[in-house]
Amino acid sequence: MPPTSVTFQVTCKDTNVGDEVFVVGSVPELGSWEVKGGLPVKTSADRFPVWSSQETKISAEKILFKIVIVGPGGVRWEGTDNKTVQLSEGMLVTVKCAYNSSKAEWITKLPPEPAAKKKEKDRPPEETKKNGYPSPEDAREEPLKEDGAPMLKSQSRHLFRLSNGSLQMEMTKTPSLMMMDLDEFMHEAEAEEEHVKELEERERLNQQQRRLASGVLLEEMKNITNHADASQTVLLQGFNWESHQAGKGNWYGIIESKVDTFAEMGITDVWLPPCSQSVAPQGYLPSQLFNLDGSAYGKKDQLKELLNKMHQKGLRGIADIVINHRCGDQQDEHGRWNVFTNTGIESRKSFAGVMDWQGWAITLGDKFSDGTGERGPGQYDDKFDAAPDIDHGNKKVQQSISVWLRWLRLDVGFDGWRFDFVKGYGAEYVGLYCKKSLPSWAVGELWLDMRYDENGLCYDQNEHRQNTINWINATDKESTAFDFTTKGILQEACRNRQYWRLKDQDGKPPGLLGWMPSHAVTFLDNHDTGSTQAHWPFPGDKGFGGLRLHPHTSRNSMCLLGSRVRLGRRHPLAHPSLDQASGKGQAAGGRQGKHSLCRC
């Protein structure tokens, strides 16, 4: 087949003096995964950090590749999944990508017209007609033939085929809203075709997930998993404690109306409220997990429309996963609410009984337990008295929740997870559920008590952030965590102007951000700490005025969207410190990275 002419444009800021950058991939033209045969990309002082390759002809329908940095320090491969690009034979393809991101965009264009063909096209109408290529004027005058080319009417704005079967590219010289750039049209059509294929693949896997072995399903799911770029993620909390009322039954529709704005602001992910039927309208006392039509925030179809709109704009949807506790639908013979039903998925016969639990699913010792469970709460598990505490060590519970999470991914369209009240069950189960559902990324709400003494918040919060790191490690690093340590210290420092708190004994940021920035999700407030609950709010009259801003590597930042939302400008998160004795401002140390904080 005719080869495709491919040019690569790579954004890479991770190089040092003397480093070279290569595109290394699955075809011989890219080295067949050998660095020494890779395609070099070059940059210059005025173009950095964009690196470009020469045009390369590749004879393949699809290529897999990674960006590799080679220099005095050795060879550095990207740590992400392989990038994938579909090629169209005989076309010109420009591939745009970034180092350490699994995403790759490509633009396909028609090759320039050969000189010989262009010369033929420029011949007078009479000569052209003799060679079998009628001019537009001749086409107007000739009647339509059954076996010939369709007639071209005067001022036509439609493509048509000539008698030799070729496509007439000259549509009309008359300006018209119906006219479009053919290259752009073809690129959009190919992109839409890929999107449709992905939706079809999601649906196919969703229909098969109870028939396929878990290992096989996960391997196939990997192909549709869009992993988040840790350094480019900005998470917006898309609700507050009162949003179920503000939406009047369709909060999803309110969010959908703002998706364009979110995309323009640079937000990459939106954390949506719990989507299942719940005893409490806020969603945090779930009962029928598959019943998305029973949510006070809207119906399942409205949620799917919202997620589809978000995906069209390049935003990911983060589901609020409430699985520490679950409310029963029915009472047992002793009046305990510990009978759970599978309402919401009756149409799927293969899902029958997935969520039909009884007392055996509840931890022993819980007031809702009937004594048939296998184990009590773990050593570090906190109680949640308002609903039955679920035993995640039970294999059927694990299987049920894994099926539900995969259904949220494949049928509903969610991309990632926010795990609620994770101090109520073992961190290893969060890791297990991530491995069984392959989210783009996940974050846990580990809200632990900080150290206080008679003078207030203690300066040393190392134990608090170490406990958070222990939890992250126990998930096998499958999940990040909200940085409650940084929130507590930052709001205390701002409230009392105690800026000396903003660095630890080693001169680093004093929260999780200072020790494990790759898994720290920084924030000011959420629906519990702020909003109308205001359990632990950031002081509303304080800001970052007068502080020197300094960026650090953080996985995500988060802001709050409520029924009265006021979104401010995006800033790097501040981690300055102030030496009160000398009065000199010092920025706390840390690795550089891109992240943003939206203040509401």
Side-chain angles (χ1 to χ4, degrees):
M1 69 178 188
T4 304
S5 297
V6 184
T7 304
F8 291 87
Q9 292 182 6
V10 179
T11 300
C12 180
K13 305 176 182 179
D14 299 61
T15 53
N16 300 313
V17 176
D19 286 345
E20 296 179 288
V21 180
F22 294 86
V23 179
V24 182
S26 59
V27 295
E29 295 83 356
L30 302 181
S32 298
W33 297 114
E34 293 290 338
V35 176
K36 60 183 180 181
L39 177 66
V41 289
K42 305 292 183 181
T43 190
S44 60
D46 60 324
R47 297 184 64 248
F48 183 83
V50 177
W51 304 64
S52 301
S53 74
Q54 293 184 342
E55 183 177 301
T56 303
K57 295 188 180 297
I58 298 178
S59 298
E61 295 182 355
K62 179 175 72 173
I63 55 174
L64 306 176
F65 68 95
K66 284 191 173 185
I67 309 303
V68 181
I69 300 175
V70 180
V75 177
R76 286 179 285 158
W77 289 76
E78 291 183 283
T80 57
D81 291 340
N82 296 332
K83 297 176 174 66
T84 303
V85 171
Q86 298 286 343
L87 301 182
S88 301
E89 59 182 77
M91 305 295 281
L92 298 179
V93 175
T94 301
V95 179
K96 297 183 179 181
C97 61
Y99 183 75
N100 264 340
S101 171
S102 58
K103 290 183 178 179
E105 299 178 353
W106 61 95
I107 301 174
T108 302
K109 295 184 178 180
L110 289 169
E113 196 170 27
K117 186 174 181 180
K118 185 176 181 181
K119 185 177 180 180
E120 182 73 35
K121 178 181 169 183
D122 293 338
R123 290 181 182 178
E126 295 78 7
E127 185 178 356
T128 303
K129 183 177 179 181
K130 292 177 182 178
N131 287 280
Y133 295 87
S135 66
E137 289 77 7
D138 290 337
R140 270 201 305 271
E141 296 173 359
E142 292 178 2
L144 181 65
K145 301 177 182 179
E146 293 186 5
D147 58 346
M151 180 173 63
L152 174 62
K153 295 182 179 179
S154 177
Q155 305 299 323
S156 171
R157 297 180 177 89
H158 301 277
L159 291 172
F160 67 96
R161 291 194 178 275
L162 302 175
S163 58
N164 67 345
S166 64
L167 191 66
Q168 170 60 270
M169 307 301 289
E170 294 293 333
M171 296 162 67
T172 178
K173 299 298 183 182
T174 305
S176 169
L177 293 176
M178 296 179 64
M179 294 181 64
M180 65 182 69
D181 183 271
L182 186 60
D183 292 345
E184 181 180 347
F185 171 76
M186 293 179 66
H187 176 64
E188 292 179 354
E190 289 174 358
E192 182 61 23
E193 184 179 357
E194 290 300 316
H195 177 64
V196 171
K197 286 181 180 178
E198 178 181 330
L199 294 178
E200 292 174 348
E201 184 67 6
R202 280 178 179 263
E203 179 59 24
R204 183 184 71 81
L205 294 176
N206 179 48
Q207 294 296 332
Q208 293 185 349
Q209 67 164 300
R210 289 290 287 165
R211 303 186 186 98
L212 289 175
S214 179
V216 176
L217 177 67
L218 292 176
E219 282 299 317
E220 297 200 33
M221 281 182 64
K222 285 181 181 179
N223 296 325
I224 63 168
T225 297
N226 172 27
H227 293 288
D229 185 338
S231 66
Q232 301 290 334
T233 303
V234 184
L235 172 66
L236 171 76
Q237 180 167 0
F239 64 101
N240 70 15
W241 194 247
E242 308 299 337
S243 296
H244 66 283
Q245 300 182 66
K248 298 180 179 180
N250 186 16
W251 178 251
Y252 301 137
I254 293 178
I255 298 295
E256 184 177 355
S257 69
K258 302 180 183 296
V259 167
D260 290 340
T261 301
F262 297 158
E264 292 173 3
M265 292 174 62
I267 290 168
T268 62
D269 298 71
V270 179
W271 162 18
L272 298 175
C275 59
S276 299
Q277 186 275 339
S278 171
V279 173
Q282 294 83 4
Y284 289 97
L285 289 176
S287 176
Q288 302 161 353
L289 295 183
F290 279 102
N291 183 8
L292 306 194
D293 287 332
S295 169
Y297 296 101
K299 305 296 184 184
K300 177 184 176 183
D301 287 344
Q302 295 166 337
L303 173 59
K304 294 180 72 170
E305 288 177 8
L306 166 60
L307 289 167
N308 184 54
K309 174 69 175 296
M310 289 170 57
H311 292 158
Q312 291 174 3
K313 293 296 180 179
L315 276 65
R316 287 179 292 261
I318 307 301
D320 204 325
I321 305 301
V322 188
I323 51 176
N324 169 75
H325 43 272
R326 182 186 176 194
C327 295
D329 296 301
Q330 302 172 20
Q331 296 171 285
D332 65 7
E333 62 272 19
H334 299 288
R336 294 173 296 224
W337 290 92
N338 58 17
V339 180
F340 310 88
T341 65
N342 203 38
T343 304
I345 199 68
E346 293 88 349
S347 61
R348 296 283 294 277
K349 297 185 183 301
S350 60
F351 279 46
V354 169
M355 284 290 177
D356 289 343
W357 299 350
Q358 295 187 20
W360 51 262
I362 302 172
T363 55
L364 292 173
D366 188 270
K367 66 181 181 181
F368 295 96
S369 171
D370 61 4
T372 60
E374 298 178 357
R375 58 189 63 77
Q379 180 181 358
Y380 303 105
D381 294 354
D382 281 8
K383 293 287 291 178
F384 187 85
D385 294 329
D389 285 297
I390 301 304
D391 175 15
H392 291 268
N394 187 288
K395 295 297 183 183
K396 184 173 181 181
V397 167
Q398 293 176 10
Q399 181 189 39
S400 301
I401 292 177
S402 297
V403 170
W404 177 61
L405 291 175
R406 292 198 290 257
W407 178 78
L408 290 178
R409 289 273 286 115
L410 297 171
D411 182 84
V412 183
F414 278 109
D415 302 283
W417 312 135
R418 178 265 183 185
F419 287 96
D420 176 70
F421 199 77
V422 295
K423 65 181 181 180
Y425 56 104
E428 64 271 23
Y429 302 120
V430 171
L432 171 68
Y433 295 138
C434 286
K435 292 174 182 177
K436 290 292 187 181
S437 58
L438 295 178
S440 296
W441 68 285
V443 57
E445 181 210 22
L446 187 68
W447 190 354
L448 304 173
D449 293 333
M450 302 184 75
R451 287 184 60 230
Y452 290 84
D453 59 20
E454 64 276 6
N455 298 316
L457 184 71
C458 296
Y459 170 70
D460 185 349
Q461 296 294 335
N462 287 350
E463 181 181 5
H464 190 268
R465 58 176 168 175
Q466 184 61 57
N467 287 335
T468 306
I469 288 176
N470 293 342
W471 181 86
I472 293 170
N473 288 332
T475 71
D476 202 15
K477 295 185 177 178
E478 291 287 332
S479 178
T480 64
F482 285 119
D483 193 350
F484 279 92
T485 318
T486 290
K487 170 182 166 54
I489 295 172
L490 183 61
Q491 66 188 28
E492 190 76 4
C494 290
R495 180 183 292 112
N496 301 318
R497 297 187 176 276
Q498 298 172 338
Y499 303 133
W500 48 266
R501 293 182 178 276
L502 298 181
K503 68 174 180 178
D504 63 13
Q505 298 90 333
D506 299 320
K508 295 182 178 181
L512 177 62
L513 193 63
W515 280 2
M516 202 174 190
S518 63
H519 284 67
V521 182
T522 56
F523 72 107
L524 292 184
D525 269 328
N526 61 28
H527 60 290
D528 289 321
T529 66
S531 189
T532 54
Q533 296 198 93
H535 291 314
W536 197 40
F538 192 89
D541 59 339
K542 306 296 180 182
F544 294 107
L547 298 185
R548 187 146 58 98
L549 300 178
H550 184 72
H552 294 279
T553 300
S554 173
R555 177 116 192 186
N556 321 89
S557 294
M558 180 274 288
C559 67
L560 177 66
L561 170 71
S563 55
R564 293 183 179 179
V565 62
R566 180 169 62 85
L567 295 176
R569 295 176 58 192
R570 295 194 295 135
H571 296 287
L573 182 59
H575 285 288
S577 62
L578 185 64
D579 185 335
Q580 290 186 324
S582 65
K584 295 179 180 179
Q586 295 178 326
R591 298 185 329 192
Q592 297 287 330
K594 288 186 177 179
H595 61 287
S596 301
L597 177 69
C598 295
R599 177 117 187 271
C600 303

